Amino acid sequence: MGKNNSSINLMSQGSRQEIKTQAIILATFVAIFWLLEILDQFVFRGSLDNFGIIPHQVIGLRGILFAPFLHGNFPHLIANTVPFLILGWLVMLQETSDFFIVTGLTMLVGGLGVWLFAAPGSIHIGASILIFGYLGFLLLRGYFQRNIPSILLSILVFLLYGGTIWGVLPSRPGISWQGHLFGFLGGVLAAKLIATEKKHYS
């Protein structure tokens, strides 16, 4: 009986530590978003936005790394903060490491897609490229992994955020639908690659 209790205590401690780690990761990302926007508004007067993705210009490629952390104003940042936290945590739900794989692929695929296909002279910024990547990953994870937890999670995300998917289509000026579209595709690619890796090691 004592061994069983010890095992349960170790598992609960491990779960608490995992949740703490996930919270720290998400809080760090959001803190970077907010710190950069505060600096941009009050110190750099909006000039940090120039580090976003600038299509068809070599210097604009740096935006693949920087654009998801930059925002046009505080309403833009506020609108992205909550879905980033919710969807980002759901990405971590099975394995925390999935978050970094999905984030990296989304930034790369989404950023290159914007750089190649968006209008010349425009600048693209915002964490929505990541948000749509997480959405694509979560919606297609159940299809690629084909296990009950993943399928249930995909259904839950569809019920909560399914309507958001229309953001991948051309919309009002000032909205980077290309970032949404290619970010989403980056998330789908991540779902397929992670599912393939899990099958390989199972």
Side-chain angles (χ1 to χ4, degrees), residues 80-107:
N80 280 340
T81 297
V82 173
F84 174 85
L85 287 171
I86 294 172
L87 293 174
W89 181 69
L90 290 175
V91 168
M92 295 180 179
L93 205 52
Q94 292 188 20
E95 287 189 38
T96 303
S97 59
D98 289 346
F99 175 82
F100 296 104
I101 297 170
V102 178
T103 298
L105 275 173
T106 296
M107 289 173 65

Side-chain angles (χ1 to χ4, degrees), residues 7-27:
S7 298
I8 292 171
N9 288 335
L10 286 172
M11 288 175 63
S12 63
Q13 288 176 8
S15 298
R16 286 197 296 269
Q17 183 59 43
E18 189 77 3
I19 292 172
K20 182 179 178 181
T21 300
Q22 293 169 353
I24 290 171
I25 292 168
L26 291 171

Side-chain angles (χ1 to χ4, degrees), residues 14 18 32 48 72 98 110 116 118 124 128 143 154 168-169 179 187 190:
E18 189 77 3
I32 293 171
L48 288 184
D98 289 346
L116 286 169
H124 298 252
S128 58
Y143 173 77
S154 291
V168 303
L169 299 176

Side-chain angles (χ1 to χ4, degrees), residues 51-197:
F51 285 85
I53 302 167
I54 306 173
H56 310 298
Q57 294 187 26
V58 174
I59 196 171
L61 287 168
R62 66 187 179 184
I64 293 172
L65 178 62
F66 296 120
F69 299 93
L70 301 170
H71 292 82
N73 49 44
F74 286 113
H76 183 202
L77 174 56
I78 292 167
N80 280 340
T81 297
V82 173
F84 174 85
L85 287 171
I86 294 172
L87 293 174
W89 181 69
L90 290 175
V91 168
M92 295 180 179
L93 205 52
Q94 292 188 20
E95 287 189 38
T96 303
S97 59
D98 289 346
F99 175 82
F100 296 104
I101 297 170
V102 178
T103 298
L105 275 173
T106 296
M107 289 173 65
L108 181 61
V109 175
L112 283 174
V114 169
W115 189 82
L116 286 169
F117 296 105
S122 58
I123 300 178
H124 298 252
I125 54 175
S128 58
I129 194 170
L130 295 178
I131 291 167
F132 275 82
Y134 300 157
L135 181 63
F137 173 78
L138 292 164
L139 287 176
L140 274 295
R141 176 180 220 165
Y143 173 77
F144 289 121
Q145 293 193 14
R146 306 200 177 184
N147 57 55
I148 297 300
S150 296
I151 292 170
L152 290 176
L153 186 57
S154 291
I155 293 171
L156 174 63
V157 171
F158 178 78
L159 292 174
L160 292 174
Y161 287 99
T164 310
I165 198 171
W166 297 110
V168 303
L169 299 176
S171 55
R172 67 182 185 273
I175 302 296
S176 179
W177 65 269
Q178 297 96 338
H180 297 174
L181 172 61
F182 290 104
F184 185 89
L185 294 177
V188 172
L189 177 61
K192 180 172 177 54
L193 291 177
I194 289 174
T196 301
E197 183 182 11

